[in-house]
Amino acid sequence: MLYHYVIRQSGHALLCGGALILGAVPAIAQQGDPPVGGDSTVLVVGARVKQALDTPNATGSRLGLTPLETPASITSLDGDMIRARGDLSIVEAETRAPGLSSVANPGNGGTALSARGFSGQGSVLQLIDGLRLFPAAGTITFPTDPWMVERIDVLSGPASVLYGQGALGGAVNVVMRKPTARTQGQAEIGYGAQDSLRLAAGIGGPAGDTLGYRVDASYRRSDGYVDRGDSHSFALSGTLKWQPTSELAVTIRGDHGDQHPIGYFGTPLIDGRLDLRVRDRNYNVGDGRMRFRDDRASVQIDWTPSANVSLSNITYYLTSDRFWRNLESYCWVGAAGVCGNGSTGTPGTIQRSSNYGIRHDQTQWGDQASVTLRTPLSPGIANALVVGVDANLVRFTHENDFGSAAQVDAVDPFAFDPGRFLDTQGIAPRYRTRTAALAVFAEDRVTLGRKWSVVGGFRYEEDQVRRWAISYPGGTRTDSFAFEKTFRNATWRAGVVYQPVPNLSLYGQYATGVDPLATLTTVSTGQVRFGNARGHQVEAGAKWLFLGGRGSATLAAYRIVKTGLLAQRTLSSPVEQVGQRSAQGIEAAVSVDLPQGFGIDANGTVLDAQFDDFRSSGVDYTGRTPPNVPETLGNLWLRWDASAKVQARAGLRYVGPRFSDNGNAFRIPGYATVDTTLSYALSPRLALDLRVYNLLDKAYAITAYGDQQWILGRPRSLDVGIRAAF
């Protein structure tokens, strides 16, 4: 079935990605000098600044394999490239990778993604420096700022064998900046539309023969592109690396993030369509508020007593304090006096509701230890094995005011008093959970000569969740034990890599994965009698380095099946765990540095996602597309290094149509946006950047917050900045 799908869709995938390149190459592929610039300039030029296919990547394998040696799809986005392109958030940068799209909204912390037909924090895992972040109530708010990023790695497809449950669509690993061998500093200041300001600086290098350091800080603020849309954030990080010998290294790191995001929950549709007259309206209350504060500390020890033995241990501590107080839902009341959600009201008004006050108090501890053994077996044959243990503990308290009197009002769509938030109960702890996750894992690679290798992995994990309900009889807090549930999961993968020449690899892989039904740390009483959903993937692909490393290309075809969805056959039937959904598709990417200073990066995705067997509340959704899943995606970046001082960039992002509901009654249109940058090097260490975001001023929806409420993207915006390297 996968083979026939690949043949049928491969042309469409190349059209979304590679064909864009092929159409542009003839006009610029002329003989000439290599690209100008280099390490001595602040301008980012050349292919080797990017994470190459022949560079070891720890996200796709714990054995230190390169992407060419790994039987899986791995993409790396270089931090310098992210900043040169002007991506303003980590999720903006992540969605430049093949097959990723944003489903970020205020409720999930502005970080959720969709990958390979699966979306949300329960299917696309978020990592920082290779350690997974546990979402609570579907929310992750860390890390915060692309200034701190060394690179972002994307492992597409099931990643549970490496990182645990919640990774059927893939895993995204944000690798933070670390000390360098020589002292390097960077700084940036920028100002632009919506009174936006950004300030950032960092420096790192050696502090003696055995000590290295890195310190970064970043501040951002903006008035926003909707009424009362102000936001600001501050991020700080520091790293110390002590390496007394070549065999031993100890790395201590601390990170702090403090965000006050834009208090915007979307724009309601009018008569089922986006009305540009309300594009800049914010229907939240005047005193709406959000704040996310995250603090993380880690200690990592790496010891390599010999060339064939290495040991690693990392211990971390993360706290997250999140707060929301907003009026979140808005609905147009049509001429018949009926709102899209079924309620009634005054025709021609926007009905506002859902006054929610929420606070998350989350603490996460963890330790991960592993040992790697490399054993030559005979000439041309060798084995590499890593085994380890991963332990995590999460304590979470959910505070809310869900017992407050409902705040429902109707306002004129164009001019209104936003009013104030209504809370008749008060935000207080309502339940708490304790989640303990313990896993053992192993990965092995056997090389059979220079061309063949076999890679396999296994992980067994037990996740114990305990929940307490919190009540206040007589005004006194009482914690009542609600339930205890243990989830046991075993996942594995096996793959083969064939390299007919060192710079070309062909691979095939079978992998299994596990997703929670909602969020592991906040599993509810209604879900506790069910197990996790399970899935598997078949994938085949090719990776190629060419033009002496100045070009790279990847192609992957896959099919993923997920079973164990909750389904209800009829309105009177019990809820059962019997449903199934699937996704199959093609991903292609090409990156080329050409003569005369030209460069191209492009990727495209075509997929087919559907419910194979799913009924809920008596409605059959079989054959429908799951919500928040675009079935076509594409990114294209063109770069021209006109001289040692002048560089121009243009980027196209395309996201296909999506649906916001299971029944596909509410369609979110696809969109294409263009971003441009013109950079001028005032000196080898100082550059002036002129950026235009959304050049064509496209009005588009990033995602939906409810069926008829769209979160819109930023309108056309001009930004001027100065970057320095020292």
Side-chain angles (χ1 to χ4, degrees):
M1 183 176 182
L2 177 61
Y3 171 79
H4 294 294
Y5 182 80
V6 169
I7 297 299
R8 187 171 66 250
Q9 296 291 353
S10 58
H12 297 295
L14 294 175
L15 179 62
C16 284
L20 293 172
I21 297 174
L22 296 177
V25 168
I28 60 177
Q30 304 172 5
Q31 294 297 319
D33 297 328
V36 295
D39 293 340
S40 62
T41 73
V42 72
L43 300 183
V44 179
V45 300
R48 303 307 289 186
V49 301
K50 294 172 283 189
Q51 191 77 0
L53 293 177
D54 58 356
T55 302
N57 187 298
T59 300
S61 169
R62 300 184 191 275
L63 291 169
L65 305 182
T66 69
L68 282 172
E69 298 169 330
T70 305
S73 296
I74 305 167
T75 302
S76 288
L77 304 169
D78 179 77
D80 288 335
M81 189 69 69
I82 290 169
R83 289 179 285 274
R85 290 174 173 175
D87 290 327
L88 298 175
S89 67
I90 286 184
V91 73
E92 278 188 29
E94 291 169 338
T95 52
R96 303 288 188 185
L100 286 187
S101 63
S102 172
V103 291
N105 64 51
N108 59 44
T111 60
L113 299 164
S114 175
R116 291 198 169 182
F118 300 88
S119 64
Q121 309 285 18
S123 290
V124 183
L125 192 65
Q126 309 270 356
L127 309 165
I128 178 169
D129 289 333
L131 297 173
R132 71 177 180 179
L133 300 169
F134 284 79
T139 306
I140 291 175
T141 51
F142 183 78
T144 61
D145 197 305
W147 179 260
M148 311 297 181
V149 173
E150 181 175 302
R151 71 176 192 273
I152 297 174
D153 294 335
V154 178
L155 175 60
S156 299
S160 296
V161 68
L162 291 172
Y163 304 112
Q165 54 82 34
L168 195 58
V172 179
N173 183 24
V174 178
V175 181
M176 308 296 271
R177 280 177 162 175
K178 295 176 175 58
T180 51
R182 59 188 179 89
T183 300
Q184 294 179 327
Q186 302 83 25
E188 182 177 80
I189 180 171
Y191 180 81
Q194 297 94 43
D195 198 22
S196 299
L197 173 70
R198 67 181 188 281
L199 301 168
I203 189 170
D209 294 335
T210 62
L211 192 65
Y213 73 97
R214 177 79 199 185
V215 178
D216 287 282
S218 176
Y219 171 78
R220 297 171 184 264
R221 67 160 304 278
S222 175
D223 285 349
Y225 51 90
V226 296
D227 301 332
R228 304 180 313 284
D230 56 292
S231 64
H232 62 274
S233 67
F234 176 70
L236 179 67
S237 70
T239 305
L240 285 176
K241 183 177 182 180
W242 179 55
Q243 193 166 1
T245 69
S246 59
E247 295 84 17
L248 178 65
V250 180
T251 304
I252 301 173
R253 181 177 182 88
D255 294 278
H256 168 75
D258 190 353
Q259 302 178 76
H260 294 253
I262 179 173
Y264 167 64
F265 283 77
T267 300
L269 304 183
I270 294 181
D271 290 328
R273 296 182 178 183
L274 175 62
D275 190 325
L276 295 182
R277 294 176 298 171
V278 299
R279 181 179 180 180
D280 59 354
R281 296 292 184 269
N282 184 358
Y283 294 94
N284 199 355
V285 289
D287 58 345
R289 185 185 172 203
M290 283 189 288
R291 181 179 181 180
F292 309 143
R293 176 168 177 162
D294 300 271
D295 292 282
R296 177 180 180 266
S298 66
V299 178
Q300 180 171 340
I301 301 174
D302 296 294
W303 181 40
T304 308
S306 72
N308 295 326
V309 179
S310 61
L311 297 92
S312 180
N313 188 91
I314 182 168
T315 301
Y316 73 92
Y317 177 76
L318 171 66
T319 62
S320 298
D321 185 358
R322 312 180 185 110
F323 181 80
W324 297 261
R325 187 188 63 200
N326 304 278
L327 192 60
E328 300 183 3
S329 299
Y330 326 119
C331 182
W332 165 256
V333 182
V338 179
C339 200
N341 60 16
S343 61
T344 58
T346 303
T349 63
I350 300 294
Q351 186 181 94
R352 306 189 303 172
S353 60
S354 302
N355 50 317
Y356 295 144
I358 301 171
R359 180 170 180 256
H360 290 177
D361 181 3
Q362 181 176 348
T363 303
Q364 178 179 330
W365 301 265
D367 186 90
Q368 186 182 104
S370 64
V371 57
T372 303
L373 306 173
R374 304 182 186 277
T375 309
L377 300 177
S378 64
I381 300 178
N383 187 80
L385 172 69
V386 59
V387 294
V389 178
D390 189 2
N392 298 272
L393 178 65
V394 184
R395 295 183 184 274
F396 174 73
T397 300
H398 192 283
E399 303 182 19
N400 62 67
D401 65 348
F402 293 169
S404 171
Q407 182 175 2
V408 180
D409 63 16
V411 298
D412 184 278
F414 309 106
F416 59 93
D417 179 358
R420 299 183 64 81
F421 183 79
L422 175 66
D423 182 3
T424 60
Q425 183 189 40
I427 301 171
R430 307 299 174 185
Y431 72 87
R432 63 182 178 91
T433 66
R434 179 184 183 275
T435 304
L438 179 63
V440 293
F441 58 83
E443 186 180 0
D444 189 80
R445 178 182 187 243
V446 178
T447 54
L448 305 171
R450 296 182 178 180
K451 297 183 178 181
W452 291 91
S453 62
V454 179
V455 180
F458 176 81
R459 182 184 181 100
Y460 177 77
E461 180 172 334
E462 289 194 2
D463 302 320
Q464 182 194 68
V465 184
R466 306 182 73 192
R467 178 169 175 144
W468 290 262
I470 302 175
S471 58
Y472 299 87
T476 302
R477 172 172 166 167
T478 301
D479 293 28
S480 304
F481 182 72
F483 64 79
E484 177 182 313
K485 173 73 174 184
T486 299
F487 301 90
R488 297 177 175 87
N489 309 299
T491 55
W492 61 277
R493 74 172 180 181
V496 177
V497 177
Y498 172 59
Q499 292 183 262
V501 293
N503 60 348
L504 173 66
S505 68
L506 309 173
Y507 71 90
Q509 179 202 161
Y510 181 87
T512 65
V514 172
D515 278 356
L517 295 179
T519 303
L520 174 68
T521 56
T522 49
V523 62
S524 67
T525 54
Q527 299 161 339
V528 71
R529 63 191 180 94
F530 302 104
N532 287 326
R534 299 182 178 274
H536 63 268
Q537 173 188 260
V538 178
E539 179 180 342
K543 306 170 189 177
W544 183 30
L545 271 176
F546 55 94
L547 295 179
R550 292 188 295 114
S552 65
T554 61
L555 178 68
Y558 62 88
R559 175 173 167 80
I560 303 176
V561 176
K562 179 178 179 178
T563 60
L565 310 181
L566 296 185
Q568 188 179 28
R569 297 299 178 183
T570 67
L571 288 173
S572 60
S573 299
V575 176
E576 303 172 281
Q577 195 167 19
V578 296
Q580 176 178 302
R581 59 186 285 188
S582 64
Q584 52 194 357
I586 301 282
E587 294 172 351
V590 182
S591 178
V592 186
D593 277 335
L594 295 163
Q596 305 297 334
F598 288 99
I600 302 176
D601 288 280
N603 60 71
T605 300
V606 175
L607 66 92
D608 179 17
Q610 68 174 23
F611 290 115
D612 301 314
D613 176 19
F614 184 56
R615 300 188 183 191
S616 180
S617 301
V619 180
D620 188 353
Y621 296 113
T622 300
R624 304 292 187 179
T625 301
N628 300 318
V629 175
E631 296 188 311
T632 51
L633 293 162
N635 290 281
L636 172 65
W637 275 99
L638 305 176
R639 188 194 78 247
W640 181 34
D641 303 319
S643 69
K645 291 187 174 183
V646 179
Q647 183 183 82
R649 295 176 185 270
L652 169 70
R653 183 199 301 269
Y654 172 74
V655 178
R658 300 135 288 160
F659 297 99
S660 60
D661 66 317
N662 288 335
N664 297 173
F666 300 97
R667 182 179 182 270
I668 308 172
Y671 65 89
T673 58
V674 176
D675 302 322
T676 61
T677 300
L678 181 65
S679 300
Y680 177 74
L682 303 171
S683 75
R685 301 286 182 178
L686 188 67
L688 176 68
D689 297 321
L690 178 66
R691 296 191 177 98
V692 180
Y693 298 92
N694 193 2
L695 178 66
L696 305 179
D697 200 23
K698 174 72 173 179
Y700 67 97
I702 299 174
T703 188
Y705 197 77
D707 290 333
Q708 298 195 53
Q709 186 172 319
W710 292 352
I711 295 179
L712 303 181
R714 191 183 185 192
R716 181 168 51 221
S717 304
L718 175 66
D719 182 285
V720 179
I722 295 178
R723 285 182 291 140
F726 52 90

